[in-house]
Amino acid sequence: MHLSEKITKSSLAHLKNCTSITISSNIDAIEDSIFSQCSSLRSISVDPDNSQFASIDGILFTKNLETLLCFPANHHLSNYTIPTSVKSIGNYAFSFCSHLQSITIPTNVTSIGDSPFTFCSSLRSIQVDPNNLHYVTIDGILFTKNLETLLCFPAKLSLSNYTIPT
């Protein structure tokens, strides 16, 4: 499906079963978490002349590659390392990803949006580069660096008992 108008939730109602989406050059705004419930989506491509967005391997980013906006729910990758250019992970960026089993967050990520890994039914592990100043993982579980906030407990993490750090 080729999108050439402003992308809103109402304009996507008929796209829930699309496997690929192409964003044209004149799209300059995409509503937050717009593709989060497109469960069949495998890839998002962006016209190279688009001034706001880019796509790498079917994954949607801002043009400067500093914000990861959407990892399609039915993407072919099961293990993913976020590019080092990324500083921010958008709200619901990985939500409903059925194949994603592990993710690695690089050093430069300073911001993680709301519920980026919600309904990732196969997610087993999240890793964070040890040099990241904002986030850390313990036993595959994502926390803020100061361990004050638990951000994500992967759905398929194989722990029979877990005690949240004090």
Side-chain angles (χ1 to χ4, degrees):
M1 170 74 51
H2 187 82
L3 298 176
S4 58
E5 57 185 56
K6 183 179 178 183
I7 302 173
T8 63
K9 290 183 182 175
S10 61
S11 69
L12 280 181
H14 62 284
L15 299 178
K16 294 222 184 223
N17 295 321
C18 279
T19 58
S20 66
I21 291 175
T22 300
I23 297 172
S24 69
S25 61
N26 64 332
I27 297 287
D28 62 0
I30 297 175
E31 284 185 21
D32 201 26
S33 70
I34 194 73
F35 302 116
S36 67
Q37 293 186 30
C38 295
S39 60
S40 298
L41 190 58
R42 290 187 193 133
S43 71
I44 301 169
S45 53
V46 178
D47 184 306
D49 293 330
N50 186 295
S51 64
Q52 301 298 312
F53 305 103
S55 176
I56 298 175
D57 196 26
I59 300 161
L60 182 63
F61 298 86
T62 53
K63 186 71 170 188
N64 61 10
L65 304 177
E66 290 184 357
T67 302
L68 190 153
L69 298 170
C70 181
F71 186 96
N74 201 21
H75 198 280
H76 70 277
L77 293 174
S78 59
N79 303 305
Y80 184 62
T81 299
I82 296 173
T84 57
S85 63
V86 172
K87 295 179 181 179
S88 177
I89 299 171
N91 296 337
Y92 304 96
F94 292 87
S95 63
F96 293 94
C97 288
S98 56
H99 298 120
L100 188 64
Q101 294 180 15
S102 72
I103 185 159
T104 302
I105 299 172
T107 301
N108 295 336
V109 171
T110 61
S111 171
I112 296 178
D114 293 335
S115 305
F117 307 107
T118 192
F119 299 110
C120 287
S121 57
S122 298
L123 190 61
R124 297 179 188 280
S125 175
I126 300 171
Q127 298 304 314
V128 176
D129 186 293
N131 296 317
N132 187 298
L133 300 176
H134 302 276
Y135 302 99
V136 66
T137 51
I138 299 173
D139 299 324
I141 302 164
L142 181 62
F143 294 90
T144 53
K145 190 73 165 195
N146 61 12
L147 299 178
E148 289 182 0
T149 305
L150 190 157
L151 298 170
C152 181
F153 190 102
K156 289 283 183 171
L157 186 64
S158 56
L159 291 175
S160 55
N161 293 309
Y162 185 72
T163 302
I164 297 172
T166 56

